Amino acid sequence: MNKIWLMFLLLLFIFLGCDDLERDNLLDPKNARGYTDQQILVELFVNDSTGFDYCEQALIALEQISESAEFKNRICVIEYHLDLTSVGFSDPLGLAVCNDRYHQYVPNRNDRGVPDAFFNGLTNRVQGASSMQQIKNHYLEVLNNLTGKKSYFKIEASKNIVGASIEIEAKIARLGNSGKDDVTVQVVLFDDRGLQGQRNVVRNIFPAQSIQRINAGEVRTMQFSGNVGELDNPASVYTLIIIQNQHDVSKPVYQVVKF
């Protein structure tokens, strides 16, 4: 009887003490040492009707980089086509929501110009292009400085498309031993049109949702719903979830996931 009672107490102690045990899984939100690899978000703003091939060169350069063995699973590239009809450059893929995103990044009209690439926010920006190799070298220089970084956010998400409507559920987990203030969660829909220079075309941007503060070990569940936009094949749409700080002057991107 004494042995049975002792065994019961031991099991009870183990059960009650589980939360205090050291956690080895770095993706476990309760692990104070947890982190994940940061994906690099590349946002390229273009217009296909300028009469120059600079935008095309920038798009192809990023496609080649993203398909390379070194960066294939490290970066997410999306292309925002700007609607510049008012100044004589009508892009059939241009969207007002893409203009809005660009104007948030570059509020001063005199500072705008395509192609314009941003890497994990505003701090790393490469505007303009020359030759294919030169612009590719510029992009690689920035990307090499951003690889191997840690992120303290983990994203798990799923989507459900019915007709032209889409519903998205995202779980945002804060890893590590500290919380974070002023977090913005942005959902971007894009598709691969199967053409060179049109592999990651933005088709819709949902209104962002804000998290005033997320504590260490906390997991938030967020819902997004809307229209997939005018697509030839809505079932092939990709979804990008961006965790960013829109209040910081550099608008840093903390993590991104494509699914």
Side-chain angles (χ1 to χ4, degrees):
M1 180 66 68
N2 288 339
K3 290 183 178 180
I4 295 176
W5 181 248
L6 183 62
M7 184 63 72
F8 172 77
L9 290 177
L10 180 60
L11 290 174
L12 181 63
F13 173 78
I14 292 174
F15 176 76
L16 294 176
C18 279
D19 286 341
D20 297 325
L21 296 178
E22 184 176 355
R23 296 170 180 266
D24 295 325
N25 183 3
L26 293 178
L27 296 180
D28 184 348
K30 297 299 183 182
N31 183 355
R33 298 177 292 109
Y35 68 89
T36 187
D37 295 329
Q38 182 172 13
Q39 294 290 302
I40 302 171
L41 173 64
V42 185
E43 299 178 89
L44 180 64
F45 294 86
V46 296
N47 181 279
D48 277 347
S49 304
T50 62
F52 301 97
D53 60 0
Y54 298 135
C55 287
E56 182 182 5
Q57 289 178 352
L59 286 164
I60 295 173
L62 282 174
E63 285 179 10
Q64 292 177 353
I65 292 171
S66 65
E67 293 170 359
S68 67
E70 183 178 2
F71 291 101
K72 189 174 183 62
N73 297 314
R74 292 184 174 183
I75 66 174
C76 293
V77 178
I78 48 176
E79 56 185 271
Y80 300 89
H81 286 252
L82 301 176
D83 182 2
L84 303 178
T85 306
S86 60
V87 291
F89 302 119
S90 177
D91 187 328
L93 300 175
L95 295 175
V97 290
C98 294
N99 288 43
D100 293 341
R101 179 79 168 170
Y102 189 44
H103 295 172
Q104 289 174 2
Y105 275 8
V106 190
N108 188 339
R109 182 191 300 268
N110 295 328
D111 294 333
R112 299 172 191 161
V114 294
D116 210 346
F118 298 86
F119 301 74
N120 279 349
L122 303 187
T123 301
N124 301 283
R125 178 187 185 187
V126 178
Q127 188 180 36
S130 49
S131 69
M132 172 73 73
Q133 192 58 51
Q134 285 179 323
I135 191 62
K136 190 173 182 179
N137 289 341
H138 286 315
Y139 291 159
L140 285 171
E141 182 179 0
V142 175
L143 289 168
N144 285 327
N145 289 330
L146 292 176
T147 55
K149 305 292 186 181
K150 294 180 179 179
S151 173
Y152 295 95
F153 283 99
K154 176 188 174 185
I155 308 171
E156 292 184 351
S158 61
K159 64 175 179 274
N160 181 39
I161 300 176
V162 179
S165 299
I166 184 170
E167 294 183 355
I168 297 161
E169 180 178 278
K171 294 183 183 298
I172 312 296
R174 177 62 180 176
L175 306 178
N177 60 7
S178 63
K180 194 70 176 177
D181 296 325
D182 295 325
V183 175
T184 300
V185 181
Q186 185 79 67
V187 171
V188 179
L189 304 182
F190 63 99
D191 72 327
D192 182 348
R193 302 177 69 86
L195 301 172
Q196 190 175 51
Q198 295 184 9
R199 306 304 299 268
N200 306 284
V201 180
V202 173
R203 302 315 303 148
N204 202 357
I205 304 174
F206 290 177
Q209 296 186 29
S210 298
I211 300 176
Q212 186 173 1
R213 178 172 178 80
I214 183 168
N215 295 316
E218 186 178 356
V219 180
R220 294 285 186 93
T221 300
M222 311 183 77
Q223 307 286 340
F224 296 83
S225 61
N227 195 288
V228 296
E230 297 180 1
L231 302 172
D232 294 332
N233 182 13
S236 67
V237 69
Y238 292 97
T239 306
L240 195 71
I241 294 182
I242 305 168
I243 300 179
Q244 188 172 23
N245 186 335
Q246 288 283 3
H247 297 98
D248 189 299
V249 64
S250 63
K251 301 188 186 302
V253 172
Y254 302 127
Q255 187 59 294
V256 60
V257 66
K258 169 187 172 182
F259 63 100

